[in-house]
Amino acid sequence: MVAVVRDNGIDAQALESALRALAHRGPDGSGRWIAPDRRVALGHTRLAVRDVAGGAQPIRSADDRCVAVVNGELYHSAELRSELRSRGYEFTTRGDSELVLHAWREWGPAMLPRLHGEFALIVWDARRRTLFAARDRFGIKPLVWARHADAVFLASRIAGLSALGLPTAWNHDSLWQSTGLQYAPPGETLVAGAHVLPAGHWLTVRDGEIDIRQYWDLDYPVDPAPIADPATATREFRSHLTTAVTERLDADVPVAFQLSGGLDSSAVLAAATRHRGPQDAFTLSFADAAGYDEHPLAAATANHLGARLHTVAVTDRELAESFPAAVLHAESTCVNTHAAAKLRLHAAVRDAGFKVAFTGEGADEILFGYPHLRADLRGSLGGLTATNTASAGLMLPDGDGLPLDHVRRELGFVPTWLAAKASFGRRVRDLLHPEWSARFADHDIGRTVLADFDIRARLTGRGPVEQSSYLWTKLALEGYILRALGDGLEMANGVEGRLPFLDTALVEHALALPTSFKIRDGVEKWILREAVRDLLPADVVTREKHPFLGPPIGPHMRELARAVLTDPSVRALGFFDAARIDDLLKRWEVTDIAYRKLLDPVILFLTSVGILHTGLGMTA
């Protein structure tokens, strides 16, 4: 979806160009609306999931006062529809998007606590002369914005902003921060002038002024109430999960499930199967990559649940072929081949005739499932690096890192995952051109990463694992897992992701649980394991967390990286030191496998920078 506010009149051709840039997100049709005075325009590309015949957008109120476009899905819609009808509003569609139109008129921004689901929305209110936009609580659905020349642009992707007229130039500050901790600063992108509307926030444009405010945030209790009966807590958690899954089964098209060998996606599939019978599940297979292929466990789960399993086998050649497209759809740097694998997975979901795919994302955040959170709880790595080799250098530190003194002063410790990113950052920074690096001599990556967070309200008084999880959720989950690996690669194929573990009621229930119900005796996601123990194979229930990662760089990926990193236009940027890059590529070929795995994320990060530069036509 796109929106433009421009006093000097809407450029209709630019609006059409933006809709074409977003066509893959909504292959079932497009619509546009331009105000009579031609100062405001809204556009929408549609993925028809509910009210397939009658849910076209933009959707307008009967008196033409308000116009809305909505991306995603809203749940609890029957209750909200009933309440609005009792207040005199009439509905002309069966879809959930019309709810936004009437809820805005009734409550204004106060409608947002009543909306639950995966959504981004934009409303133009002619009477108030206000454009209103908002995102869901976790940022599952994307929304970016820019002020350029005499206009304000909003779109689902940076590509939409570019089509509307925003020049595509590098944001050097964001790229510098990314070279240190992988992620751009909160609210920023790698493109100059393109900003992210943060999760749980709303934005208004009125009389040329932009106002952004927060309506929801993670809030770990300072002193969680003790829970005397674990069995009761487990039953309540299972009830919340079941409700979250069953609500998301509501669609006018068939739905499918992503399935790995892990607990989270298996639990979601099990809950759906219990409610509706055998389902279609899609899993990836890296048959030539020992230690990364989860297909056997996924197949065991599918067989246990009676699911129809669709296996997507991916080779190194196919990963190399898909990696550039994955980076461009993610609009982000990527540090692993998992991006290319996800793109192929969702293409298979689409080709099989599905428009909706459930995922298990969010469980590790709300239930402290990552090994780096266990390290924060115990205050040391212990033996975690040895038993979680795939996480070394990405989520668990390996080697010296960039200094994070500001973080230590503010929090009293450095979260393990930030230390891991800092060790990755040191390896990247060693390859940067000294002249470019010198521009940022006064930049402190630790200060930047905390700058936009209310430390006193959200972190002070909480334990280290809660503080670490909060920051991870805001930076890694919102900024990379959901935006780049999730929606960016799902909607590249016209597939809508649904995330039961990020259901509002389930999340708020989990936030109130003591840490001991999440990590118990060194076992992560304890309450989830107990809640689904009777539904899944024992090997899945007891399996230690294994993050979804693609296999190490193979020969075809190596050739892609070499081609990109030796491209004259990429070298002319001046970001990287060419001699150091050449030396890295030589060392990579002869070093041992363990060290090569530490270099892989660095090589792929740099390669993705080059792909973004050439693929998006970026200027320095």
Side-chain angles (χ1 to χ4, degrees):
M1 62 185 186
V2 297
V4 184
V5 179
R6 189 175 204 146
D7 287 342
N8 292 333
I10 298 299
D11 182 340
Q13 290 186 338
L15 180 63
E16 293 303 315
S17 178
L19 291 173
R20 287 194 296 272
L22 302 177
H24 57 278
R25 295 182 60 84
D28 297 328
S30 65
R32 68 280 298 146
W33 172 86
I34 300 177
D37 62 5
R38 302 190 66 80
R39 293 184 177 183
V40 181
L42 273 64
H44 187 267
T45 58
R46 186 175 184 225
L47 182 66
V49 173
R50 292 195 194 183
D51 194 4
V52 174
Q57 299 186 47
I59 187 165
R60 298 160 61 180
S61 61
D63 60 1
D64 285 339
R65 170 187 154 185
C66 296
V67 186
V69 288
V70 183
N71 179 209
E73 298 295 332
L74 299 175
Y75 308 110
H76 306 288
S77 57
E79 297 93 327
L80 186 55
R81 186 183 294 262
S82 177
E83 182 176 3
L84 287 166
R85 276 181 173 152
S86 72
R87 294 171 181 265
Y89 294 95
E90 297 181 357
F91 288 81
T92 61
T93 72
R94 292 186 298 104
D96 54 344
S97 299
E98 192 175 3
L99 291 167
V100 171
L101 198 68
H102 300 321
W104 166 259
R105 294 187 64 165
E106 183 65 21
W107 297 297
M111 72 176 177
L112 291 172
R114 299 169 181 265
L115 303 184
H116 302 281
E118 304 98 2
F119 64 84
L121 60 88
I122 305 172
V123 180
W124 168 250
D125 188 325
R127 192 184 74 183
R128 302 183 191 185
R129 302 297 299 170
T130 296
L131 187 82
F132 177 84
R135 288 181 76 195
D136 62 68
R137 291 160 178 79
F138 283 90
I140 299 167
K141 285 298 177 183
L143 193 60
V144 290
W145 66 274
R147 183 192 292 277
H148 177 64
D150 61 342
V152 176
F153 304 145
L154 294 92
S156 299
R157 299 185 66 230
I158 296 172
L161 301 181
S162 300
L164 290 169
L166 179 71
T168 310
W170 281 102
N171 181 330
H172 289 250
D173 288 344
S174 287
L175 181 58
W176 175 255
Q177 182 72 11
S178 299
T179 64
L181 293 177
Q182 184 184 340
Y183 309 120
E188 298 300 328
T189 74
L190 294 174
V191 174
H195 311 283
V196 176
L197 178 62
H201 282 66
W202 53 261
L203 172 152
T204 57
V205 183
R206 183 172 186 178
D207 297 330
E209 296 297 319
I210 297 173
D211 184 26
I212 297 176
R213 301 188 186 186
Q214 187 174 47
Y215 71 90
W216 188 89
D217 197 7
L218 284 171
D219 190 10
Y220 288 104
V222 175
D223 295 306
I227 296 177
D229 183 10
T232 299
T234 300
R235 286 195 299 271
E236 290 175 351
F237 182 87
R238 176 159 161 166
S239 176
H240 279 291
L241 176 60
T242 300
T243 299
V245 171
T246 54
E247 284 179 342
R248 284 161 177 75
L249 288 169
D250 183 18
D252 294 339
V253 297
V255 304
F257 292 76
Q258 296 181 44
L259 180 65
S260 70
L263 176 65
D264 310 335
S265 61
S266 299
V268 170
L269 178 61
T273 301
R274 187 177 178 87
H275 178 71
R276 190 177 282 185
Q279 301 292 311
D280 287 87
F282 288 76
T283 192
L284 284 159
S285 175
F286 306 117
D288 56 352
Y292 291 83
D293 186 21
E294 298 188 53
H295 175 261
L297 273 174
T301 298
N303 182 63
H304 185 83
L305 297 173
R308 297 174 289 273
L309 186 64
H310 307 251
T311 301
V312 183
V314 184
T315 64
D316 174 65
R317 178 189 292 275
E318 290 167 330
L319 289 173
E321 291 172 350
S322 296
F323 189 74
V327 170
L328 294 175
H329 278 291
E331 297 182 330
S332 167
T333 55
C334 295
V335 297
N336 186 263
T337 56
H338 56 194
K342 283 256 187 176
L343 187 67
R344 286 196 167 260
L345 177 71
H346 299 308
V349 172
R350 175 202 63 203
D351 292 344
F354 295 95
K355 295 181 180 180
V356 174
F358 281 62
T359 85
E361 300 292 4
D364 289 312
E365 283 71 24
I366 68 171
L367 298 175
F368 302 163
Y370 292 110
H372 59 79
L373 296 176
R374 279 182 280 154
D376 291 325
L377 183 63
R378 66 170 64 165
S380 69
L381 285 174
L384 286 172
T385 302
T387 58
N388 295 268
T389 56
S391 297
L394 287 174
M395 299 180 185
L396 298 175
D398 195 314
D400 294 335
L402 299 171
L404 292 171
D405 298 336
H406 180 78
V407 174
R408 190 178 299 279
R409 286 193 300 271
E410 287 292 313
L411 305 183
F413 78 112
V414 174
T416 300
W417 74 269
L418 272 179
K421 297 304 178 184
S423 66
F424 157 83
R426 181 172 289 281
R427 285 186 278 273
V428 174
R429 293 274 174 92
D430 286 343
L431 301 169
L432 301 182
H433 198 289
E435 290 186 10
W436 187 68
S437 297
R439 298 170 54 177
F440 306 97
D442 295 332
H443 285 230
D444 184 328
I445 57 171
R447 188 177 298 277
T448 299
V449 83
L450 295 183
D452 288 345
F453 300 124
D454 189 338
I455 303 297
R456 183 179 299 275
R458 299 303 179 200
L459 299 180
T460 300
R462 281 72 170 185
V465 68
E466 285 79 14
Q467 295 183 59
S468 181
S469 182
Y470 178 93
L471 293 173
W472 170 271
T473 301
K474 293 294 183 177
L475 293 160
L477 179 69
E478 179 183 338
Y480 183 68
I481 297 171
L482 296 181
R483 182 165 173 260
L485 293 182
D487 181 88
L489 302 181
E490 292 159 354
M491 293 296 279
N493 294 288
V495 174
E496 176 183 276
R498 294 193 175 180
L499 289 70
F501 280 108
L502 295 183
D503 175 81
T504 304
L506 177 60
V507 169
E508 293 183 341
H509 175 76
L511 287 174
L513 291 172
T515 300
S516 61
F517 279 68
K518 302 167 188 177
I519 304 176
R520 177 168 293 198
D521 298 327
V523 176
E524 76 278 9
K525 292 183 288 197
W526 176 84
I527 194 168
L528 175 59
R529 295 178 192 276
E530 294 302 305
V532 299
R533 187 173 294 278
D534 63 322
L535 303 179
L536 294 171
D539 287 348
V540 173
V541 173
T542 59
R543 186 190 186 214
E544 188 175 23
K545 168 65 184 178
H546 186 288
F548 172 68
L549 294 171
I553 292 177
H556 295 94
M557 280 298 304
R558 182 174 67 246
E559 291 308 308
L560 171 67
R562 185 184 303 280
V564 171
L565 294 176
T566 57
D567 184 304
S569 66
V570 174
R571 295 204 162 189
L573 277 170
F575 296 158
F576 315 135
D577 186 302
R580 295 178 184 178
I581 294 292
D582 290 340
D583 180 63
L584 171 69
L585 294 173
K586 291 177 182 177
R587 284 190 292 116
W588 185 90
E589 293 183 9
V590 300
T591 191
D592 63 89
I593 293 176
Y595 187 59
R596 189 183 300 174
K597 284 173 62 177
L598 293 179
L599 295 181
D600 278 4
V602 175
I603 290 174
L604 292 176
F605 176 88
L606 300 176
T607 301
S608 59
V609 169
I611 290 169
L612 289 170
H613 179 70
T614 56
L616 297 181
M618 301 272 276
T619 60

